[in-house]
Amino acid sequence: MLRKKECVAMLLAGGQGSRLYALTSNIAKPAVSFGSKYRIIDFPLSNCINSGIDTVGVLTQYQPLVLNEYVGNGQPWDLDRTFGGVHILSPYEAKQDTSWYKGTANAIYQNIRFMKMYDPEYILILSGDHIYKMDYDKMLNAHKNANAACTIACMQVPIKEASRFGILNTNPDGTIYEFEEKPKAPKSDLASMGIYIFTASKLYKYLEDDDKNPESEKDFGKNVLPAMLNAGEKMYSYRFEGYWKDVGTISSLWEANMDLLGTVPNFELNDRDRVIHSRSPLAPPAFVEGEVVNSIVATGGEIEGKVVNSVVGTNCVIEKGAEVSDCVLMGNITVKAGSKLNYAIIDEDVTIGENAVIGEPIDTAGKLEGKTSGITVLGRGISVKKNGKVPAGEIVDKNV
Amino acid sequence: MASTVGVIFSSINDESVPELTRARSMASIPYGGRYRLVDFALSNMVNSGITTVGMLTKNNYQSLMDHLGSGKNWDLARKEGGLILLPPYSDESEILYKNRLEALKGATAFLKKAKEDFVVLTDSDSIYRLDYSKVIEYHISKNADITMVYHEHELVKSHYYMTLNTAKDGRITGLEINPAASGIKKNYINVMVARRTYLLRLVQDAIQHGYTSFGRDILSPGVKSLNMYAYKLEGYYASITSINAYFNANMDLLNKNIRNEIFGDRDVYTKVNDSAPAKFLSEAKVRNSLISDGCVIEGEVENCILFRGVKIGKGAVVKNCILMTDNIIGDGCNLAYVGSDKNSVIRDGRVLAGCEIQPYFINKGSLI
């Protein structure tokens, strides 16, 4: 039998995620913890395997250590395959034409040989910083039925937020006649989700053309997609309905975590038809003694304090008398007795000393003026000393 | 450490807990929210540097196979060695082995093929942490033929048990099978170390003589004729000798010290299942309980072990219970001292109660 894959996914995981500040000081954004036991990259990887795509290239560049270690051989996602499977694609050196990835399009361009190895008909381009469940197979069928060169997944957003996104202006049949990257006066409320399916031959051609263009910023949204449109290629929009969130900012990351809570959450993790796979840690079930209300808690926890409206990651210790409200605790965090944590994101491996006060309650902190909306952030591996205090909205990456 | 191969008896003592072994072997009895009993023997082996393990099975081992898979969760999916299932071996006459010696006969091909110097034999009905390499070191230092591991505790009478008497230097001076005595004894925990070739000789010899019992025909007379030493297991030990013992061993995990002793190093391996994190809703009230991934809690839970995917309905009150994977407890139920096997559904408003000395046990997949 011919060794080929119908569709190969390329996952852009190299971005620095600078708007997550301390949370991405030394790890790539897709490796950031999410939803108590996951990392962001679990979502696109699980979507791939749940959609029948078993060949995924993960393009890394910025601080790849944790991400590489996490993805490993891909076994947790059933992506350890003899032909196909998950492959980490780092920038490499060659006699000519290689360098650090210079943009999303250039990153894919530098890995054309990887894609061609599988002789695919279609290439799926994904981002490593979105939380959603999606059946890419449905989108692929839409792409095939439309006989398009490129299909862009999109969703409706409130028109007043539309200028933050790449906006698609479409005809009634779904074809795209115009693509505007972050327009000041958007003509439509259809936002690109950064998920593209290309007919492989078209992708190769336009990436090669783009590489030869010295004016290009080597970006899909700014260069490659407009070039295809100008050349008259058939560009098609695929409407996605359901939960999708870009977790590129502190506040959107916090909100997406909160979207997991409640009887009928905005985003359901407990879905046996579309399981989100992850590299599960080795830990016993959580021991719960304190008051835990409207929260999710991962394995290995020792929860003796009070936890309200919060997401608590693996192996967190919350001692008696500690109170955690409206917080995201990523994993391996110790909150000592008497501490009060409010409206905060605490990265992995943080220790908070006795009677420390972190942040302010959401109803006061939420109203603070500032660049990060009043959410307090403690970066990976830091310690807060006994009676220490971190004011609302601060982003801390050193011991306090 | 000295090169060592492991052999685990997965089905010995199944009759101690018929409630739990109806459709599975002792080794695959669920324990502690996310584990199976075999995880302790296997993890102890792997953490002692043993990378070749033979698993002796008997009947109804489908659930065990499902749990073990290729062995990759214990890092035992290897090209060389790894986890090897040893299904019941039968020659012309026998159908299934009836005792430990016959079971071991089924492992002779495996043991002959192995290249390791030493062998550790264990059962899979107990919960303890032990570095077997320390036992091997001890065995070598004593120049022993056989080293038996014991734990000191109040004698528990099950259908088959052994107690040891030892001299100051650890030499075994007496061995009793099913003694009528009571009180604190040196209880053999069915963990034994020997040189691989020596064990093979013993088994071969026993078969030729038509022996049937490893304890009565080999170990017991061996006290006089062989160089037998005893190694003391310190710390926590629990053995599933009855359904009550099963209950107590689970509830022991609510004790922080025991929990730390068993799981503190986070090196008890088990099959991984991608359940979502446990969810506590706004009316949840949880005290002194272990809550696994995939649980959704709307009611009140106290002194319980909840396995993966258990749902506790609104207004339900569940106390001193062990609820295995995917149990669904309806709204307004009231449960006390109930042990419920996997996939059971308790309809809204039911009241079920056992008591401390006699927990009420619900079979797998029941609808009540």
Side-chain angles (χ1 to χ4, degrees), chain A residues 273-313:
Chain A
D273 295 327
R274 298 190 80 77
V275 173
I276 306 300
H277 303 283
S278 66
R279 194 173 280 282
S280 290
L282 274 174
F287 175 76
V288 179
E289 168 67 28
E291 192 180 331
V292 181
V293 175
N294 193 36
S295 297
I296 57 175
V297 179
T299 50
E302 292 277 334
I303 316 293
E304 299 190 28
K306 184 173 172 183
V307 177
V308 183
N309 303 335
S310 294
V311 169
V312 179

Side-chain angles (χ1 to χ4, degrees), chain B residues 190-257:
Chain B
N190 292 324
V191 175
M192 196 191 102
V193 162
R195 275 191 186 270
R196 181 179 57 87
T197 46
Y198 185 80
L199 179 75
L200 274 169
R201 266 208 312 280
L202 275 184
V203 173
Q204 217 70 61
D205 188 56
I207 292 165
Q208 276 163 14
H209 284 85
Y211 294 159
T212 55
S213 165
F214 199 82
R216 197 189 59 223
D217 298 330
I218 297 175
L219 296 176
S220 192
V223 171
K224 289 213 171 69
S225 56
L226 308 176
N227 220 4
M228 296 196 355
Y229 277 82
Y231 181 94
K232 184 178 180 181
L233 166 69
E234 305 276 1
Y236 181 79
Y237 172 82
S239 178
I240 310 305
T241 49
S242 65
I243 193 80
N244 276 15
Y246 174 76
F247 241 80
N248 294 336
N250 272 284
M251 292 307 180
D252 280 347
L253 293 180
L254 298 179
N255 176 317
K256 194 172 197 164
N257 295 330

Side-chain angles (χ1 to χ4, degrees), chain A residues 36-38 75 262 265 272 277-278 280-290 294-297 300 302 304 315, chain B residues 32 34-35 72 256 259 266 268-269 272 274-282 286-293 326:
Chain A
S36 102
K37 68 174 282 193
Y38 305 95
Q75 182 266 322
R272 297 206 178 170
H277 303 283
S278 66
S280 290
L282 274 174
F287 175 76
V288 179
E289 168 67 28
N294 193 36
S295 297
I296 57 175
V297 179
E302 292 277 334
E304 299 190 28
N315 291 327
Chain B
R34 68 176 296 194
Y35 302 93
K72 65 171 184 265
K256 194 172 197 164
R259 202 162 61 240
R266 298 288 190 261
V268 179
Y269 309 98
V272 176
D274 289 326
S275 310
K279 185 185 263 185
F280 298 75
L281 295 169
S282 49
V286 181
R287 292 276 178 281
N288 196 40
S289 296
L290 282 183
I291 311 292
S292 304
D293 275 358
D326 291 337

